[in-house]
Amino acid sequence: MRPRSTRSYTYILTSRPEPSVALITLNRPKALNALSSALMTELNQALGEADTSKEVGAIVITGSQTAFAAGADIKEMKDLEFSTAYSTDFIADWARLTQIKKPIIAAVSGYALGGGCELAMMCDIIIASPTAVFGQPEIKLGTIPGSGGTQRLARVIGKSKAMEIVLTGRTFSAAEAEKWGLVSKITSEEEGAVVTESVKMAKQISEYGALAVKAGKELVNAAYELSLQEGIRLERRVFHSLFSTGDQKEGASIQLQEFLRFIFFLGMRAFAEKRKSQFKGE
């Protein structure tokens, strides 16, 4: 897959492998895609553009076959003092990814360590190749994860396992990540398969109603912040609100036709038009 680039950046590549899918590739090969402030600034810009684009329905972030992102840029941090880090709220803007409304899929191959693991966890879905290696090795450098690693790991894989990963700094495989629920699926070993599979899923998501997709993402994320009762109440209210959208009426109409065709095998003209739902995001 060699999609056409849509804009030129220094540390990332952007493309549209499908008209409705934005693909962002981290591009610091000599540094194993280590995350620098400059790279993250470009990533935030590209994500913002994709989020506001009427054509894009879902986003994929990937790296190289060797490394999704092997960590944060240590050279950038090694001489940093507390006063500077605190006064500038260092790396706070890295979490802007979590404010993107459209679904983001991390296509992970090779190393996803430290900030790279945190970046993948900030995405909505992680698809991994068998070569993917995850970890939070910051403890070996005399520090801890700083972009949500301790919090997101604990919420997904549980306290005991998160403690082990954070306090020993050991890496874990794609198979372990899938077993623990951190990874959605593992692709074949074929080169590029993880990006192909991620784009395929992103395209599928982008074909559904944009408002429903946005609401689904918002509600799943809310499950980590609200009590069960509060979450269900919010879910029901958002569910109710979608009945005011044209997409819901379109989807319901097409599905009803398919249901009746399946049940009664009708050949009436009213059910003769076989087509996909034409969602308009309204």
Side-chain angles (χ1 to χ4, degrees):
M1 178 184 299
R2 296 182 181 277
R4 178 179 57 86
S5 178
T6 56
R7 176 172 171 171
S8 178
Y9 289 94
T10 302
Y11 302 111
I12 64 173
L13 302 174
T14 60
S15 57
R16 293 279 185 85
E18 296 286 347
S20 61
V21 177
L23 175 63
I24 302 173
T25 304
L26 308 183
N27 188 38
R28 294 188 70 199
K30 293 182 179 179
L32 295 178
N33 292 331
L35 305 179
S36 63
S37 294
L39 183 151
M40 293 304 296
T41 295
E42 290 189 353
L43 179 60
N44 286 334
Q45 290 174 348
L47 286 169
E49 291 176 4
D51 203 31
T52 57
S53 170
K54 293 183 178 180
E55 296 179 352
V56 173
I59 304 163
V60 175
I61 298 177
T62 193
S64 67
Q65 190 74 10
T66 303
F68 176 73
D73 192 333
I74 297 177
K75 292 181 180 179
E76 188 176 61
M77 295 188 293
K78 65 182 182 68
D79 296 324
L80 196 64
E81 298 289 342
F82 166 76
S83 59
T84 302
Y86 184 69
S87 62
T88 61
D89 205 6
F90 181 59
I91 75 171
D93 63 338
W94 290 22
R96 281 174 55 189
L97 182 151
T98 62
Q99 299 171 19
I100 300 299
K101 304 300 183 183
K102 294 174 181 175
I104 304 174
I105 300 174
V108 179
S109 183
Y111 295 110
L113 305 178
C117 185
E118 291 173 305
L119 177 63
M121 289 192 291
M122 281 189 272
C123 296
D124 302 302
I125 299 170
I126 302 176
I127 296 179
S129 75
T131 67
V133 179
F134 300 87
Q136 299 290 166
E138 289 89 347
I139 198 76
K140 298 179 180 181
L141 301 176
T143 185
I144 61 170
S147 196
T150 61
Q151 304 304 298
R152 291 188 174 90
L153 269 180
R155 282 167 168 76
V156 176
I157 70 176
K159 176 184 175 181
S160 181
K161 189 61 67 176
M163 280 287 190
E164 176 193 352
I165 298 302
V166 171
L167 298 184
T168 68
R170 86 164 179 90
T171 59
F172 54 97
S173 67
E176 288 177 293
E178 184 186 36
K179 179 181 177 181
W180 299 340
L182 187 68
V183 162
S184 175
K185 65 189 301 183
I186 299 175
T187 65
S188 71
E189 295 184 6
E190 182 181 353
E191 184 174 353
V194 68
V195 174
T196 300
E197 190 66 29
S198 297
V199 169
K200 179 181 177 182
M201 183 180 291
K203 181 176 183 293
Q204 179 186 4
I205 292 171
S206 69
E207 290 176 345
Y208 298 130
L211 295 177
V213 169
K214 177 181 176 181
K217 170 174 174 171
E218 179 182 356
L219 268 295
V220 172
N221 284 330
Y224 287 92
E225 301 174 358
L226 304 175
S227 68
L228 178 60
Q229 184 176 13
E230 291 171 329
I232 290 175
R233 184 183 299 113
L234 177 60
E235 177 190 76
R236 189 175 300 119
R237 291 297 174 260
V238 175
F239 170 70
H240 290 163
S241 72
L242 289 175
F243 282 94
S244 67
T245 67
D247 281 351
Q248 186 277 330
K249 298 299 181 287
E250 167 72 0
S253 174
I254 297 301
Q255 290 304 311
L256 177 60
Q257 292 182 26
E258 291 298 324
F259 175 73
L260 292 175
R261 185 182 295 114
F262 175 75
I263 296 297
F264 300 109
F265 300 97
L266 295 179
M268 297 169 57
R269 184 176 63 179
F271 303 111
E273 183 185 3
K274 295 182 179 180
R275 63 180 176 85
K276 288 186 178 181
S277 301
Q278 301 297 313
F279 296 120
K280 298 180 180 180
E282 57 187 33

